[in-house]
């Protein structure tokens, strides 16, 4: 079967509301075959199809699009010259418009299975940081805007905070990032939290503090095989300042 025909079948399955078809079969096959080079001749077309789904009416189509882009971008990094940079820029435009604005941020649905818009999008930010290093500071701010998005009714329950923290760590690992760039994105978080008074925490505030806590742990421990970012101490100090807003007893 030609690669284009096979990919077309799998991409159609990736829209399925059946989690077994979408996740266990289609995504597993696509990610493995992209990594193995079987779709190199249609790699850019795969990326274009995935990016077009950020405006799809079905949530599962939107939230699996970043996973496909992760695989495509990783393959492009593994084989220099395989994928033009302008393609990654094109996909980034669609992704950056979708990620902070996605309203259905549920991690799991009993019928649809894994949706994980926040976690899958976080993985994509790290992939874009490698493919488009000039976008690193924008990607840090994009993560900040995602965690502080107010139009949400889902409290992080499926380790979304940890996936965001891991993505932030990987963006911060990039060489050449200056201290002010590494910490500057936290101003977005500080401005979002500014003026919060007493009373119950809105869901987005809970999600924000959960992510900051996860990030602080990641900065202290580092990632396996990767260690901590060059400006980990400065980022941790700024993160701790924000955490003292609710946890005033922290040293």
């Amino acid at each position: 079967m030609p690669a284009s025909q096979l990919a077309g079948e799998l991409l159609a399955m990736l829209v399925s509301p059946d989690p077994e078809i979408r996740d266990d079969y289609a995504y597993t096959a696509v990610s493995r075959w992209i990594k193995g080079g079987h779709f190199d001749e249609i790699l850019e077309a795969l990326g274009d199809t995935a990016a077009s789904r950020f405006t799809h009416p079905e949530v599962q189509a939107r939230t699996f699009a970043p996973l496909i882009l992760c695989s495509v971008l990783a393959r492009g990094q593994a084989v220099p010259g395989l994928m033009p940079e302008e393609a990654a820029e094109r996909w980034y435009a669609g992704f950056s418009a979708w990620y902070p604005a996605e309203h259905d941020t549920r991690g799991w649905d009993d019928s649809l299975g894994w949706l994980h818009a926040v976690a899958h999008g976080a993985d994509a930010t790290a992939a874009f940081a490698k493919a488009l290093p000039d976008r690193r500071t924008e990607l840090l701010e994009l993560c900040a805007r995602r965690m502080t998005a107010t139009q949400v009714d889902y409290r992080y329950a499926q380790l979304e905070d940890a996936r965001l923290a891991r993505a932030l760590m990987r963006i911060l690992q990039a060489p050449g990032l200056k201290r002010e760039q590494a910490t500057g994105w936290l101003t977005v978080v500080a401005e979002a939290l500014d003026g919060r008074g007493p009373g119950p925490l809105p869901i987005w505030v809970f999600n924000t503090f959960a992510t900051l806590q996860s990030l602080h742990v990641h900065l202290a421990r580092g990632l396996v095989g990767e260690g901590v970012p060059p400006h980990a101490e400065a980022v941790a100090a700024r993160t701790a300042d924000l955490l003292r807003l609710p946890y005033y007893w922290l040293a």
Side-chain angles (χ1 to χ4, degrees):
M1 183 182 292
S4 58
Q5 183 181 348
L6 179 58
E9 296 283 350
L10 292 170
L11 287 169
M13 293 167 67
L14 279 164
V15 182
S16 173
D18 185 328
E20 185 176 18
I21 292 174
R22 184 182 70 254
D23 204 338
D24 296 347
Y25 298 156
Y27 172 64
T28 299
V30 168
S31 61
R32 288 179 180 173
W33 291 343
I34 288 175
K35 184 177 182 180
H38 303 295
F39 289 149
D40 282 357
E41 63 185 85
I42 57 167
L43 196 65
E44 187 173 348
L46 281 174
D48 285 338
T49 299
S52 73
R53 291 183 174 171
F54 288 126
T55 57
H56 198 283
E58 299 291 335
V59 61
Q60 70 275 7
R62 298 194 301 272
T63 61
F64 270 69
L67 289 184
I68 302 306
L69 287 179
C70 284
S71 295
V72 170
L73 290 166
R75 181 62 183 168
Q77 289 289 294
V79 184
L82 182 62
M83 184 184 67
E85 185 174 319
E86 54 266 28
E89 289 283 4
R90 188 166 65 243
W91 306 331
Y92 174 73
F95 171 74
S96 60
W98 164 79
Y99 191 40
E102 174 59 52
H103 63 278
D104 192 340
T105 56
R106 292 172 294 159
W108 171 267
D109 178 81
D110 288 341
S111 175
L112 296 172
W114 289 112
L115 298 175
H116 247 350
V118 174
H120 292 172
D123 295 348
T125 63
F128 274 114
K130 286 187 176 181
L132 301 172
D134 291 342
R135 298 283 189 183
R136 289 173 298 178
T137 54
E138 290 180 33
L139 286 159
L140 290 169
E141 292 181 4
L142 192 66
C143 290
R145 289 195 288 123
R146 175 63 269 176
M147 75 171 78
T148 58
T150 59
Q151 301 303 312
V152 293
D153 55 11
Y154 169 75
R155 181 174 289 192
Y156 292 167
Q158 301 297 335
L159 301 181
E160 289 87 354
D161 52 304
R163 291 281 282 274
L164 266 169
R166 181 179 68 172
L168 288 164
M169 288 281 287
R170 286 182 167 156
I171 300 170
L172 290 167
Q173 290 279 23
L177 203 64
K178 297 178 181 178
R179 177 179 175 137
E180 52 271 24
Q181 293 174 312
T183 59
W185 64 277
L186 286 162
T187 301
V188 175
V189 181
E191 290 175 349
L193 295 171
D194 186 42
R196 294 297 313 171
L201 290 181
I203 289 174
W204 72 268
V205 176
F206 175 90
N207 292 344
T208 298
F209 284 129
T211 304
L212 292 174
Q213 288 181 81
S214 288
L215 177 60
H216 203 276
V217 172
H218 280 68
L219 289 165
R221 299 294 302 176
L223 301 179
V224 174
E226 299 177 43
V228 298
H231 303 293
E233 186 175 346
V235 179
R238 186 73 181 98
T239 302
D241 288 342
L242 293 171
L243 287 171
R244 289 189 187 96
L245 293 173
Y247 312 143
Y248 58 86
W249 52 85
L250 285 178

